[in-house]
Amino acid sequence: MLILGIETSCDETSFSVVEDGYNVIANVTHSQILDHAEFGGVIPELASRKHVEFFLPVLKESLKQSNCTLDEIDAIAVTRGPGLLGALLVGVNIAKTLGFLLEKPCIPVDHLVAHLYAPWLGMEKKKDIFHQLVLTVSGGHTSLVLMKGHGDFELLGQTLDDAAGEAFDKVAVLLDLGYPGGPVIDSLAKQGNPEAYPLPRAMKQHKNFHYSFSGLKSAVLRLLQQEKEIQKADMAASFQEAVVDSLLIKLQRAYLHYKPKGIVITGGVSANSRLRQKAIDLFDNKVSFPPLSFCTDNAAMVAGAGFYIWENTEDKKKFTWENVQIQLESELG
Ligand code: KG4
Ligand code: ZN
């Protein structure tokens, strides 16, 4: 089954063609990072406009790379939320229009569920990777989910305020390092001392699996106001260490409690070199990271999730263009 995936929930315009949920035939993504960089964060209105500007070239390129025509596509899967409302409207309306004109089924996909399926891409569909812990860490979300089966996800924890990537981006602005903050802090931190500045590991004592990063950001701000001279590399390293420790403390607690078959770390922040190194030190070959192009927002994971939603839904007649609606709350909670 060939599914056309569409992702426009934030600042990536992405289209993909995926066969049977795992065989990625094409995955084309246009990132708007440079457009938002001068503002130090994503501007929602600008994101919507850029999706409108780029969706046709990206769609055309994905069809070209896949050697497919729209007629050969069996169904359309689209991110229905959570995300930026105006940005979602673009993708959802493209899906509705294509579904209507081509008379093909339309499968709405929860963006966080799509991230859970990133590890399935490129993997034979028969391989059982259930009872996996999936930590999704990106600019918009931080969630820890136990994946027990298709459609059977238990949200164990999530951030109570800022997402992990958002914290990287905000602290980079405080340190005047530009946007997006994650990659800059990651590379600057390599020259710094992670113990130079004492920073909190929020909610460490709490016996749950939730996260919080806004206190850490405020602690960085306080130090910047108090100290006469800040060593940026030391601050970057100390901050990064605090985020990584906070993520891994809860991940390890969940690992010991649920004894999963494995752990997957996905989302843009999973590119962080310190997070990868410490996670591998801690969990060895139990932890894996999907390829980066599937970790950051992309349409292949949407098409992948769409396939399994389709396969595991008895009433397939409900997948009409009329039934695709934006839903800003994630079904994961
Ligand atoms: O998954 P993603 O591309 O988009 C969202 O769904 O948000 O994630 C983007 C986030 C940004 O906040 C960016 O700063 C962060 O991922 N990021 C990193 C690194 N590379 C990207 N954070 C830490 N270290 C990195 N190397
Ligand atoms: Zn995302």
Short mmCIF file of all heavy atoms in Angstrom, two decimals, residues 181-218:
data_model
loop_
_atom_site.label_atom_id
_atom_site.label_comp_id
_atom_site.label_asym_id
_atom_site.label_seq_id
_atom_site.Cartn_x
_atom_site.Cartn_y
_atom_site.Cartn_z
N GLY A 181 18.81 26.94 18.81
CA GLY A 181 19.84 26.92 19.84
C GLY A 181 20.53 25.57 20.02
O GLY A 181 21.71 25.53 20.40
N GLY A 182 19.79 24.47 19.79
CA GLY A 182 20.34 23.15 20.08
C GLY A 182 21.70 22.87 19.45
O GLY A 182 22.67 22.59 20.16
N PRO A 183 21.80 22.99 18.13
CA PRO A 183 23.09 22.66 17.48
C PRO A 183 24.24 23.57 17.95
O PRO A 183 25.35 23.12 18.13
CB PRO A 183 22.80 22.87 15.99
CG PRO A 183 21.31 22.79 15.86
CD PRO A 183 20.74 23.26 17.15
N VAL A 184 23.95 24.88 18.16
CA VAL A 184 25.02 25.82 18.59
C VAL A 184 25.49 25.47 20.00
O VAL A 184 26.70 25.44 20.27
CB VAL A 184 24.51 27.28 18.63
CG1 VAL A 184 25.64 28.26 18.44
CG2 VAL A 184 23.39 27.54 17.68
N ILE A 185 24.53 25.23 20.90
CA ILE A 185 24.90 24.90 22.28
C ILE A 185 25.67 23.58 22.30
O ILE A 185 26.69 23.44 22.97
CB ILE A 185 23.64 24.84 23.18
CG1 ILE A 185 23.10 26.27 23.37
CG2 ILE A 185 23.95 24.18 24.53
CD1 ILE A 185 21.91 26.41 24.29
N ASP A 186 25.21 22.62 21.51
CA ASP A 186 25.88 21.32 21.42
C ASP A 186 27.36 21.49 21.05
O ASP A 186 28.26 20.95 21.70
CB ASP A 186 25.14 20.47 20.36
CG ASP A 186 25.54 19.02 20.35
OD1 ASP A 186 26.54 18.67 21.02
OD2 ASP A 186 24.86 18.21 19.68
N SER A 187 27.61 22.30 20.03
CA SER A 187 29.02 22.40 19.59
C SER A 187 29.83 23.29 20.54
O SER A 187 30.98 22.97 20.84
CB SER A 187 29.13 22.83 18.13
OG SER A 187 28.84 24.17 18.00
N LEU A 188 29.24 24.37 21.06
CA LEU A 188 29.98 25.24 21.99
C LEU A 188 30.29 24.49 23.29
O LEU A 188 31.36 24.68 23.89
CB LEU A 188 29.14 26.50 22.27
CG LEU A 188 29.80 27.60 23.09
CD1 LEU A 188 31.04 28.15 22.38
CD2 LEU A 188 28.80 28.74 23.35
N ALA A 189 29.36 23.64 23.71
CA ALA A 189 29.52 22.91 24.97
C ALA A 189 30.75 21.99 24.96
O ALA A 189 31.31 21.68 26.02
CB ALA A 189 28.26 22.09 25.25
N LYS A 190 31.18 21.62 23.77
CA LYS A 190 32.35 20.72 23.67
C LYS A 190 33.62 21.40 24.21
O LYS A 190 34.55 20.73 24.62
CB LYS A 190 32.56 20.29 22.21
CG LYS A 190 31.46 19.37 21.71
CD LYS A 190 31.83 18.75 20.35
CE LYS A 190 30.88 17.65 19.94
NZ LYS A 190 29.51 18.01 19.67
N GLN A 191 33.62 22.74 24.20
CA GLN A 191 34.80 23.46 24.71
C GLN A 191 34.59 23.91 26.16
O GLN A 191 35.42 24.63 26.72
CB GLN A 191 35.07 24.71 23.88
CG GLN A 191 35.31 24.46 22.41
CD GLN A 191 34.79 25.61 21.54
OE1 GLN A 191 34.82 26.77 21.94
NE2 GLN A 191 34.28 25.27 20.37
N GLY A 192 33.46 23.56 26.76
CA GLY A 192 33.16 24.07 28.10
C GLY A 192 33.19 23.00 29.17
O GLY A 192 33.27 21.80 28.89
N ASN A 193 33.12 23.48 30.43
CA ASN A 193 33.12 22.58 31.59
C ASN A 193 31.68 22.40 32.07
O ASN A 193 31.05 23.36 32.53
CB ASN A 193 34.00 23.22 32.68
CG ASN A 193 33.90 22.46 33.99
OD1 ASN A 193 33.34 21.37 34.06
ND2 ASN A 193 34.47 23.05 35.04
N PRO A 194 31.15 21.18 32.00
CA PRO A 194 29.74 20.99 32.38
C PRO A 194 29.47 21.17 33.88
O PRO A 194 28.32 21.23 34.30
CB PRO A 194 29.45 19.53 31.95
CG PRO A 194 30.79 18.89 31.82
CD PRO A 194 31.78 19.96 31.50
N GLU A 195 30.56 21.28 34.67
CA GLU A 195 30.35 21.48 36.12
C GLU A 195 30.63 22.92 36.54
O GLU A 195 30.64 23.23 37.73
CB GLU A 195 31.25 20.52 36.89
CG GLU A 195 30.75 19.09 36.80
CD GLU A 195 31.76 18.07 37.27
OE1 GLU A 195 32.73 18.47 37.95
OE2 GLU A 195 31.58 16.90 36.94
N ALA A 196 30.87 23.80 35.56
CA ALA A 196 31.26 25.17 35.90
C ALA A 196 30.16 25.92 36.65
O ALA A 196 30.43 26.66 37.59
CB ALA A 196 31.64 25.91 34.63
N TYR A 197 28.93 25.75 36.23
CA TYR A 197 27.81 26.46 36.87
C TYR A 197 26.82 25.46 37.45
O TYR A 197 26.42 24.51 36.76
CB TYR A 197 27.10 27.35 35.83
CG TYR A 197 27.98 28.46 35.29
CD1 TYR A 197 28.55 28.35 34.03
CD2 TYR A 197 28.24 29.59 36.05
CE1 TYR A 197 29.37 29.36 33.53
CE2 TYR A 197 29.06 30.60 35.57
CZ TYR A 197 29.62 30.49 34.31
OH TYR A 197 30.43 31.48 33.82
N PRO A 198 26.45 25.66 38.71
CA PRO A 198 25.49 24.72 39.32
C PRO A 198 24.07 25.00 38.81
O PRO A 198 23.56 26.10 38.99
CB PRO A 198 25.59 25.04 40.82
CG PRO A 198 26.08 26.46 40.87
CD PRO A 198 26.83 26.74 39.61
N LEU A 199 23.48 24.05 38.14
CA LEU A 199 22.12 24.24 37.61
C LEU A 199 21.24 23.07 38.04
O LEU A 199 21.72 21.95 38.20
CB LEU A 199 22.17 24.34 36.07
CG LEU A 199 22.79 25.63 35.52
CD1 LEU A 199 23.06 25.53 34.03
CD2 LEU A 199 21.89 26.83 35.82
N PRO A 200 19.94 23.37 38.25
CA PRO A 200 19.05 22.33 38.80
C PRO A 200 18.69 21.21 37.81
O PRO A 200 18.65 21.44 36.60
CB PRO A 200 17.79 23.12 39.15
CG PRO A 200 17.79 24.28 38.22
CD PRO A 200 19.23 24.64 37.99
N ARG A 201 18.48 20.01 38.36
CA ARG A 201 17.90 18.89 37.59
C ARG A 201 16.45 18.83 38.08
O ARG A 201 16.17 18.20 39.12
CB ARG A 201 18.60 17.57 37.89
CG ARG A 201 19.82 17.27 37.04
CD ARG A 201 20.92 18.27 37.23
NE ARG A 201 22.15 17.91 36.52
CZ ARG A 201 23.10 18.79 36.18
NH1 ARG A 201 22.97 20.08 36.44
NH2 ARG A 201 24.19 18.38 35.58
N ALA A 202 15.56 19.52 37.37
CA ALA A 202 14.19 19.71 37.87
C ALA A 202 13.47 18.39 38.06
O ALA A 202 13.63 17.46 37.28
CB ALA A 202 13.41 20.58 36.90
N MET A 203 12.68 18.32 39.12
CA MET A 203 11.77 17.20 39.40
C MET A 203 12.50 15.87 39.62
O MET A 203 11.88 14.81 39.51
CB MET A 203 10.72 17.07 38.30
CG MET A 203 10.04 18.38 38.04
SD MET A 203 8.55 18.32 37.10
CE MET A 203 7.61 17.04 37.74
N LYS A 204 13.79 15.98 39.93
CA LYS A 204 14.60 14.77 40.13
C LYS A 204 14.01 13.89 41.24
O LYS A 204 13.99 12.66 41.14
CB LYS A 204 16.01 15.24 40.51
CG LYS A 204 17.03 14.15 40.59
CD LYS A 204 18.37 14.78 40.93
CE LYS A 204 19.33 13.71 41.40
NZ LYS A 204 20.60 14.27 41.83
N GLN A 205 13.53 14.56 42.28
CA GLN A 205 13.02 13.81 43.45
C GLN A 205 11.60 13.29 43.23
O GLN A 205 11.16 12.41 43.96
CB GLN A 205 13.02 14.68 44.72
CG GLN A 205 14.32 15.43 44.99
CD GLN A 205 15.52 14.50 45.08
OE1 GLN A 205 15.39 13.30 45.31
NE2 GLN A 205 16.70 15.05 44.84
N HIS A 206 10.89 13.87 42.25
CA HIS A 206 9.49 13.47 42.06
C HIS A 206 9.42 12.05 41.51
O HIS A 206 10.09 11.73 40.54
CB HIS A 206 8.78 14.43 41.09
CG HIS A 206 8.66 15.82 41.63
ND1 HIS A 206 7.51 16.56 41.55
CD2 HIS A 206 9.56 16.61 42.26
CE1 HIS A 206 7.70 17.74 42.11
NE2 HIS A 206 8.95 17.79 42.54
N LYS A 207 8.56 11.26 42.11
CA LYS A 207 8.49 9.85 41.68
C LYS A 207 7.53 9.66 40.50
O LYS A 207 6.68 8.81 40.50
CB LYS A 207 8.04 8.97 42.87
CG LYS A 207 9.00 9.00 44.05
CD LYS A 207 9.99 7.84 43.97
CE LYS A 207 11.05 7.93 45.05
NZ LYS A 207 12.24 8.70 44.70
N ASN A 208 7.64 10.56 39.53
CA ASN A 208 6.82 10.39 38.32
C ASN A 208 7.76 10.49 37.12
O ASN A 208 8.98 10.51 37.29
CB ASN A 208 5.73 11.46 38.26
CG ASN A 208 6.33 12.85 38.31
OD1 ASN A 208 7.45 13.09 37.86
ND2 ASN A 208 5.59 13.79 38.87
N PHE A 209 7.20 10.54 35.94
CA PHE A 209 8.04 10.56 34.74
C PHE A 209 7.88 11.89 33.98
O PHE A 209 8.11 11.94 32.78
CB PHE A 209 7.71 9.36 33.84
CG PHE A 209 7.81 8.05 34.56
CD1 PHE A 209 6.65 7.34 34.90
CD2 PHE A 209 9.04 7.54 34.93
CE1 PHE A 209 6.73 6.13 35.58
CE2 PHE A 209 9.14 6.33 35.62
CZ PHE A 209 7.99 5.62 35.95
N HIS A 210 7.46 12.93 34.71
CA HIS A 210 7.28 14.22 34.05
C HIS A 210 8.58 15.03 34.04
O HIS A 210 9.52 14.76 34.80
CB HIS A 210 6.19 15.03 34.76
CG HIS A 210 4.83 14.43 34.59
ND1 HIS A 210 4.35 14.04 33.36
CD2 HIS A 210 3.85 14.15 35.48
CE1 HIS A 210 3.12 13.54 33.50
NE2 HIS A 210 2.82 13.59 34.78
N TYR A 211 8.57 16.02 33.16
CA TYR A 211 9.75 16.89 33.02
C TYR A 211 9.34 18.35 33.22
O TYR A 211 8.17 18.69 33.09
CB TYR A 211 10.33 16.76 31.60
CG TYR A 211 10.83 15.39 31.28
CD1 TYR A 211 10.06 14.50 30.53
CD2 TYR A 211 12.08 14.97 31.72
CE1 TYR A 211 10.52 13.22 30.22
CE2 TYR A 211 12.55 13.70 31.42
CZ TYR A 211 11.77 12.84 30.68
OH TYR A 211 12.23 11.58 30.39
N SER A 212 10.33 19.17 33.51
CA SER A 212 10.11 20.62 33.59
C SER A 212 11.42 21.30 33.24
O SER A 212 12.47 20.93 33.76
CB SER A 212 9.66 20.99 35.01
OG SER A 212 9.80 22.38 35.18
N PHE A 213 11.37 22.27 32.34
CA PHE A 213 12.61 22.93 31.93
C PHE A 213 12.58 24.45 32.11
O PHE A 213 13.58 25.11 31.89
CB PHE A 213 12.93 22.60 30.46
CG PHE A 213 13.27 21.15 30.26
CD1 PHE A 213 12.36 20.29 29.65
CD2 PHE A 213 14.48 20.63 30.71
CE1 PHE A 213 12.64 18.94 29.48
CE2 PHE A 213 14.78 19.27 30.55
CZ PHE A 213 13.86 18.43 29.93
N SER A 214 11.42 25.00 32.53
CA SER A 214 11.38 26.46 32.61
C SER A 214 12.21 26.97 33.80
O SER A 214 12.79 28.05 33.74
CB SER A 214 9.94 26.98 32.66
OG SER A 214 9.38 26.69 33.90
N GLY A 215 12.29 26.20 34.89
CA GLY A 215 13.10 26.60 36.05
C GLY A 215 14.58 26.65 35.70
O GLY A 215 15.32 27.53 36.14
N LEU A 216 14.99 25.72 34.86
CA LEU A 216 16.39 25.66 34.42
C LEU A 216 16.73 26.92 33.61
O LEU A 216 17.77 27.56 33.81
CB LEU A 216 16.58 24.39 33.58
CG LEU A 216 17.94 24.19 32.92
CD1 LEU A 216 19.07 24.18 33.94
CD2 LEU A 216 17.95 22.87 32.13
N LYS A 217 15.81 27.29 32.73
CA LYS A 217 16.00 28.49 31.90
C LYS A 217 16.10 29.73 32.81
O LYS A 217 16.98 30.57 32.64
CB LYS A 217 14.79 28.60 30.95
CG LYS A 217 14.76 29.81 30.08
CD LYS A 217 13.37 29.94 29.45
CE LYS A 217 12.26 30.09 30.48
NZ LYS A 217 10.91 29.93 29.99
N SER A 218 15.22 29.80 33.83
CA SER A 218 15.26 30.94 34.76
C SER A 218 16.56 30.95 35.55
O SER A 218 17.11 32.02 35.85
CB SER A 218 14.08 30.89 35.73
OG SER A 218 12.90 30.77 35.01
#
